[in-house]
């Protein structure tokens, strides 16, 4: 009976007997025997691995947080059903009509202007700029978007670039309805790619493909040429390089901060009370993402145009990028994590794992020699 009780106590609390020994005493073990605690103590690699299992901050950056269920009893369930009917049977058809009406006005004006005013580039660009802003406003209206802007509206000036945190492709639409930006964006297939190669190229947008190494050099050259033009639309870059769930910011790519021009930070924060605006492109197409927004109650967000920044004497491009990321994270209430967003699409280089393996082997051999 006593042995059974002893087993129960040990299994429940998993006590360490060394905690109850007098100070200076320890359990004697054979000399030369290597304990697991010794390995953990000497190996930062094992410590990092254990920490990654317990606190995986990288995966959390790209996870959608499902809303808490509230229709859990007989009193709330009828209200939830009524809300579903309103959103899908009343609001959604009205929003589809609004978007269709916007496209009708846009195409009936854009096509003639783009075709007939080819000899009047300045006038054509101004009209196309207004039309792109208008169709983006119709998109925001189709979500019943409630967007609050803070700070002065961006203006067309040479040698300046705007950078913002990235949650979804709708970030571009939310910003574009106020100012016709020329954005740097991944080339997409389907109807989005068609819009990219026709309508959005009229405002000077630049496309790239992550899988093509040559695209980096071409895009870098286009960026330098674009920021020098006095009449070009303001350049907008999402330096994270991927969509993050609006709770975190990942590392900013330094390319936007090495152009030798003024950097204007933009902070975007979505209110998730009605819908989560994060687009997980691996699990959901952009069409389904838009349908999710159009069948929600509203998309609510705030946009802050922050104070322009220039690189300081002796400051590197990476340090400049981190300083701007600090500003955006602080203003939007986002947590910074030391991850490269491109790891979402590709595995780390084998050089990194080889360095970790070499470090672990050296520390293990050093401890074995001590024993």
């Amino acid at each position: 009976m006593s042995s059974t009780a002893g087993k129960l106590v040990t299994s429940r609390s998993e006590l360490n007997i060394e905690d109850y020994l007098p100070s200076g005493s320890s359990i004697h073990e054979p000399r030369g025997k290597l304990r697991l605690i010794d390995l953990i103590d000497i190996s930062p690699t094992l410590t990092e691995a254990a920490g990654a299992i317990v606190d995986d901050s990288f995966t959390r950056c790209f996870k959608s947080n499902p809303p808490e269920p509230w229709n859990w009893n007989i009193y709330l369930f009828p209200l939830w059903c009524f809300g579903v009917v309103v959103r899908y049977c009343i609001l959604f058809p009205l929003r589809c009509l609004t978007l269709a009406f916007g496209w009708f006005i846009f195409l009936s004006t854009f096509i003639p202007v783009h075709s007939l005013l080819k000899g009047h580039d300045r006038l054509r660009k101004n009209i196309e700029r207004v039309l792109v802003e208008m169709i983006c406003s119709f998109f925001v209206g189709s979500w019943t978007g409630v967007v609050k802007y803070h700070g002065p509206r961006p203006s067309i000036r040479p040698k300046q670039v705007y950078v913002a945190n990235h949650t979804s492709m709708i970030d571009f639409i939310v910003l574009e309805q106020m100012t016709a930006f020329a954005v740097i964006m991944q080339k997409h297939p389907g109807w989005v790619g068609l819009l990219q190669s026709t309508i959005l190229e009229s405002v000077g947008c630049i496309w790239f493909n992550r899988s093509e190494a040559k695209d980096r050099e071409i895009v870098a050259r286009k960026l330098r040429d674009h920021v020098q033009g006095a009449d070009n639309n303001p350049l907008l870059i999402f330096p994270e390089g991927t969509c993050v769930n609006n709770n975190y910011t990942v590392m900013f790519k330094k390319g936007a901060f090495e152009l030798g021009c003024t950097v204007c930070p933009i902070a975007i924060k979505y209110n998730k009370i009605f819908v989560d605006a994060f687009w997980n492109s691996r699990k959901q197409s952009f069409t389904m993402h838009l349908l999710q927004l159009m069948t929600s109650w509203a998309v609510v967000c705030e946009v802050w145009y922050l104070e322009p920044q220039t690189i300081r004497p002796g400051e590197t491009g990476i340090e400049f990028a981190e300083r701007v990321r600090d500003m955006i994270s602080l203003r939007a209430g986002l947590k910074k994590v030391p991850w490269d967003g491109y790891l979402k699409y590709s595995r780390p280089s084998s050089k990194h794992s080889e360095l970790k393996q070499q470090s672990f082997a050296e520390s293990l051999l050093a401890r074995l020699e001590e024993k």
Side-chain angles (χ1 to χ4, degrees):
M1 184 70 177
S2 59
S3 61
T4 306
K7 290 181 181 179
L8 289 175
V9 171
T10 304
S11 62
R12 285 180 184 176
S13 56
E14 296 181 0
L15 300 176
N16 185 359
I17 193 170
E18 291 187 1
D19 294 339
Y20 295 88
L21 292 175
S23 59
S25 301
S26 62
I27 298 175
H28 296 286
E29 295 190 8
R31 293 188 62 132
K33 185 176 181 180
L34 190 65
R35 300 178 299 171
L36 178 60
I37 192 172
D38 296 325
L39 291 179
I40 296 177
D41 181 55
I42 64 167
S43 174
T45 305
L46 289 177
T47 305
E48 290 178 13
I53 294 172
V54 174
D55 184 16
D56 185 5
S57 58
F58 177 77
T59 304
R60 286 209 308 264
C61 294
F62 310 105
K63 268 184 154 183
S64 337
N65 297 318
E68 292 286 338
W70 58 271
N71 55 336
W72 48 269
N73 63 28
I74 193 63
Y75 306 106
L76 296 176
F77 185 71
L79 292 176
W80 179 82
C81 292
F82 176 74
V84 170
V85 172
V86 171
R87 288 188 288 117
Y88 283 85
C89 300
I90 299 176
L91 292 181
F92 180 62
L94 289 176
R95 289 167 175 173
C96 289
L97 288 174
T98 300
L99 191 58
F101 179 68
W103 275 113
F104 174 76
I105 296 176
F106 175 81
L107 293 175
S108 61
T109 310
F110 181 87
I111 294 175
V113 167
H114 191 72
S115 304
L116 301 177
L117 296 180
K118 287 188 176 180
H120 306 79
D121 290 343
R122 189 179 183 86
L123 177 61
R124 177 174 56 83
K125 285 183 178 180
N126 288 335
I127 296 176
E128 288 176 347
R129 184 182 299 129
V130 173
L131 290 174
V132 170
E133 292 176 2
M134 181 201 71
I135 191 60
C136 288
S137 298
F138 274 102
F139 265 105
V140 175
S142 69
W143 319 321
T144 315
V146 181
V147 186
K148 188 175 182 180
Y149 298 90
H150 307 268
R153 181 174 176 173
S155 57
I156 298 178
R157 293 179 184 175
K159 292 190 175 182
Q160 71 174 6
V161 59
Y162 289 82
V163 297
N165 58 300
H166 197 23
T167 306
S168 166
M169 204 188 301
I170 70 168
D171 299 337
F172 165 71
I173 299 175
V174 167
L175 297 176
E176 197 79 0
Q177 73 162 347
M178 286 292 290
T179 303
F181 286 104
V183 71
I184 312 301
M185 190 183 294
Q186 162 77 18
K187 182 68 176 176
H188 290 274
W191 66 271
V192 177
L194 178 63
L195 295 182
Q196 288 178 322
S197 59
T198 53
I199 295 170
L200 293 181
E201 280 197 356
S202 65
V203 292
C205 295
I206 302 172
W207 318 117
F208 67 92
N209 194 338
R210 290 188 183 93
S211 60
E212 294 292 336
K214 295 181 180 179
D215 280 9
R216 298 181 182 180
E217 300 177 2
I218 298 173
V219 168
R221 186 180 68 251
K222 288 182 178 180
L223 290 180
R224 289 190 292 267
D225 294 341
H226 187 97
V227 296
Q228 300 298 326
D231 295 329
N232 291 335
N233 292 324
L235 186 64
L236 174 64
I237 300 177
F238 298 106
E240 290 173 298
T242 187
C243 295
V244 187
N245 64 7
N246 210 228
N247 291 324
Y248 301 88
T249 55
V250 297
M251 293 170 58
F252 281 9
K253 300 292 182 295
K254 65 178 182 176
F257 304 89
E258 294 181 333
L259 296 174
C261 58
T262 302
V263 175
C264 305
I266 302 176
I268 306 173
K269 181 64 176 178
Y270 291 93
N271 190 326
K272 300 180 182 180
I273 188 172
F274 295 121
V275 67
D276 187 358
F278 170 57
W279 176 39
N280 190 340
S281 58
R282 291 200 162 194
K283 295 184 177 180
Q284 189 181 46
S285 67
F286 187 63
T287 303
M288 294 305 298
H289 181 57
L290 283 180
L291 288 176
Q292 179 185 355
L293 300 179
M294 293 177 69
T295 53
S296 67
W297 287 109
V299 174
V300 182
C301 79
E302 291 192 71
V303 176
W304 291 271
Y305 299 109
L306 305 179
E307 183 179 354
Q309 303 293 313
T310 55
I311 192 167
R312 295 169 180 171
E315 190 175 41
T316 65
I318 296 176
E319 292 170 343
F320 187 22
E322 282 301 298
R323 179 160 60 86
V324 172
R325 182 161 78 115
D326 287 340
M327 294 178 61
I328 293 176
S329 301
L330 180 63
R331 177 65 272 184
L334 308 175
K335 298 177 184 178
K336 289 178 55 182
V337 292
W339 296 110
D340 186 345
Y342 274 15
L343 293 176
K344 177 182 175 182
Y345 301 99
S346 58
R347 298 186 64 181
S349 171
S350 59
K351 294 181 180 179
H352 297 291
S353 58
E354 289 171 1
L355 289 174
K356 289 287 185 183
Q357 291 168 359
Q358 183 179 357
S359 173
F360 176 69
E362 290 174 354
S363 60
L364 183 59
L365 287 173
R367 178 53 67 96
L368 288 173
E369 289 175 359
E370 291 177 5
K371 293 287 182 179

